Amino acid sequence: MTATTVTRTVSDPRRARGRGIFLLGLAVATVGLFALTVGGGADARFGLNTSSAGIEIPDLVLPVRATVIALAAVIAFLGGRQLTRGFGTRIGVVLVIGTLLFLFAFLTWAAADAQLNLIFLLRSTIMRSIPLALGALSGVLCERAGVVNIAIEGQFLVGAFAGAIVGSAVNNVAGLFAGVLAGGVLGAILAVVTIRFVADQIIVGVVLVVFGLGITGFLNDQILVPNTHLNAPPIFRPIDVPLLSDIPIVGPLLFDQNILVYLTFALVAVLHVALFHTRWGLRVRSVGEHPKAADTVGIDVHAVRYRNVILGGLVAGLGGAHFTVGSVGSFSKQMTGGFGFIALAAMIVGAWKPVGALGAALLFGFAAALKDSLAILGVPIPSQFLTMAPFIATILVVAGVVGRARMPAADGQPYIKE
C-alpha cells in the first residue's frame, strides 16, 4: 500500500463551506424524513433500565414531531454558524455532534408509538464493537511497524473455530487461548512470507483470508457437523463490578460485561501508552515511518516487524474467539460476516491510533446493533437494507476521512537491509 497523504487544512474556504452545507442538508433531511412522516400526537418511549438494574429510573417519553424539529433546528444552527463564522479546528467535533443529533432524531422517529430500550441497544453496540476493536488493534500493531494486515478476517475465522472446538472439549478459558494462538499462527505466516520472502503484503493477506474461509469451512463439515458436542463451548458470562454496576445507565454498560469486554478496554489503554509513551513504541513507530533511518541507529527493523505482526495475529485471534466463547456459543461457516474488513476501516478512521480505533469500532458496532432494534420495532425499512447498515456506515465514514487520515509513511513497503 503506497502512502499517499493529502493534507488539507480546516481553513480551506471551499471545504469549510461544504461542511456547512452538509449540516444544513442534514437538518432538511431530518425534518423531511422524520418530522413530516409521523403523526402529530405520536410519542416515543425510551427505556433506560435493565432487568437487573439496582436503581431504576423512569423511561424517557418524548413527543416525536416536536423533538425531531428541535433537533433539526440545532443541526441547522450549527450549519449556519459554520457558513457565517466557522468553527475552525472544532469543526470535527461539530460534525460528530450533528451526526449524533441526526441519529437520535432517527431513533425518535423509529420508536414512534413504541418503546425502544436504549440500554439494550448500547449494550449490543459494545458487544458487537469488541471484535471490531480487537481487529483494528491488530491492524494498528502491524501497520505501525510498516506491514499491512489484510488477513484479519481470516485470523478471526481460525480464532473462532479454535475457540469453539477447544472450548467445547475443555472449557471457555482454554478456548480463548486456543483462539489467540490460532490467530498468532496466521500472523506468523504473514510475517514470514512478507518479511522474509518480501511477498506483496496485500496479496498474501487476501490469500490468508481465503485460506481461513476454506480451512474453517472444511473442518466445520468434517468435524463439527458430525460431532455437535464439539461445537457447544460455554460462553463467558457477565461479571458485575460491585456498586459500580448499580449506577443508572453507565453501570449496565461498562461494569456488567464479560471478561472479553474488560480485556479489550484494558488492551486499548495499554497499547496507547505503549505506542506513544514508551521506548518500545518509539522504535515501532520509527520502523513504520522510516525503516532505513531506524536501521542506521541500531534498531533491528525485521525483528520489530516480526514481533508486531505476530502480536497483531494474537490480538486478531482474540477477536475471533469472541465470536464463539464470547457471544454466540457455537461456530458456523463465515460467521464473522466481513467484520475483519470493517475492522480495517475502523483502524483507518481511527487514524492508526488505539483510542481512535475503539471509537470507530463503537460507531460501526452501533450500526450493526441498530438493525436488530429496528427489526424488533417493525420499522418500514426492508430487512436487506438493515443488514447492509454496517457496511453502508463504513463506506460513508471512510469516504469522509479520505484525504485527512495519515497512514505510517512506510506502511506496506518491504525493507531490504543493504
Side-chain angles (χ1 to χ4, degrees):
M1 186 178 294
T2 303
T4 303
T5 303
V6 180
T7 303
R8 296 187 176 94
T9 65
V10 293
S11 58
D12 183 343
R14 189 174 62 178
R15 193 175 181 83
R17 187 166 57 249
R19 288 166 171 169
I21 293 173
F22 168 76
L23 287 169
L24 288 177
L26 207 58
V28 172
T30 302
V31 174
L33 294 174
F34 310 137
L36 302 181
T37 57
V38 70
D43 289 332
R45 179 181 291 273
F46 294 104
L48 301 174
N49 300 289
T50 62
S51 58
S52 60
I55 302 174
E56 291 196 8
I57 56 177
D59 292 343
L60 178 64
V61 181
L62 298 172
V64 176
R65 180 172 290 179
T67 301
V68 169
I69 291 175
L71 293 171
V74 175
I75 299 172
F77 169 77
L78 295 175
R81 168 70 185 273
Q82 172 64 16
L83 286 175
T84 55
R85 300 177 60 181
F87 286 99
T89 57
R90 295 171 296 172
I91 184 59
V93 176
V94 172
L95 287 173
V96 171
I97 292 173
T99 304
L100 291 176
L101 293 175
F102 175 82
L103 286 175
F104 190 69
F106 172 66
L107 290 178
T108 305
W109 170 80
D113 292 330
Q115 180 172 4
L116 174 63
N117 192 308
L118 281 179
I119 303 302
F120 283 132
L121 174 60
L122 295 178
R123 280 179 63 89
S124 178
T125 296
I126 292 175
M127 287 302 291
R128 288 176 176 274
S129 67
I130 292 305
L132 294 175
L134 291 170
L137 291 181
S138 170
V140 169
L141 276 166
C142 296
E143 299 204 16
R144 278 290 179 182
V147 178
V148 174
N149 183 9
I150 300 292
I152 295 172
E153 179 77 0
Q155 292 167 335
F156 274 174
L157 282 168
V158 296
F161 179 86
I165 194 167
V166 176
S168 302
V170 186
N171 55 44
N172 50 15
V173 176
L176 183 67
F177 280 103
V180 171
L181 184 61
V185 170
L186 276 199
I189 295 173
L190 174 67
V192 171
V193 177
T194 59
I195 299 171
R196 173 68 177 84
F197 298 104
V198 201
D200 186 280
Q201 297 173 8
I202 302 295
I203 294 175
V204 175
V206 172
V207 168
L208 289 177
V209 170
V210 175
F211 172 76
L213 282 167
I215 192 66
T216 55
F218 173 76
L219 294 177
N220 178 71
D221 292 341
Q222 298 298 316
I223 300 176
L224 298 187
V225 171
N227 302 284
T228 54
H229 64 284
L230 291 178
N231 194 16
I235 63 173
F236 288 100
R237 298 298 177 187
I239 303 171
D240 66 319
V241 180
L243 299 179
L244 294 178
S245 62
D246 292 332
I247 300 174
I249 301 177
V250 176
L253 295 179
L254 299 181
F255 303 109
D256 189 17
Q257 299 284 0
N258 69 32
I259 188 66
L260 282 165
V261 177
Y262 298 131
L263 273 176
T264 302
F265 289 149
L267 195 57
V268 170
V270 169
L271 193 54
H272 175 79
V273 172
L275 271 177
F276 298 106
H277 301 283
T278 68
R279 182 182 177 188
W280 174 83
L282 182 62
R283 294 165 71 93
V284 169
R285 287 185 287 126
S286 66
V287 168
E289 294 292 340
H290 202 310
K292 188 173 183 179
D295 195 2
T296 58
V297 297
I299 298 175
D300 189 336
V301 174
H302 285 174
V304 170
R305 288 189 168 183
Y306 271 114
R307 184 173 59 227
N308 271 55
V309 174
I310 294 172
L311 280 175
L314 295 173
V315 173
L318 180 63
H322 169 83
F323 286 95
T324 46
V325 298
S327 58
V328 178
S330 64
F331 179 84
S332 60
K333 288 181 180 180
Q334 303 177 22
M335 68 179 303
T336 54
F339 267 39
F341 302 112
I342 299 179
L344 280 172
M347 175 197 68
I348 295 170
V349 174
W352 288 265
K353 297 177 181 176
V355 176
L358 174 62
L362 286 169
L363 173 64
F364 298 141
F366 176 78
L370 185 60
K371 70 180 179 63
D372 296 334
S373 295
L374 295 181
I376 294 172
L377 288 173
V379 173
I381 299 176
S383 59
Q384 294 86 350
F385 285 97
L386 294 180
T387 304
M388 288 190 290
F391 302 98
I392 294 173
T394 303
I395 292 170
L396 293 176
V397 174
V398 172
V401 302
V402 166
R404 292 191 294 118
R406 179 190 177 280
M407 67 178 71
D411 193 13
Q413 298 178 10
Y415 179 71
I416 301 174
K417 189 177 179 63
E418 297 178 355

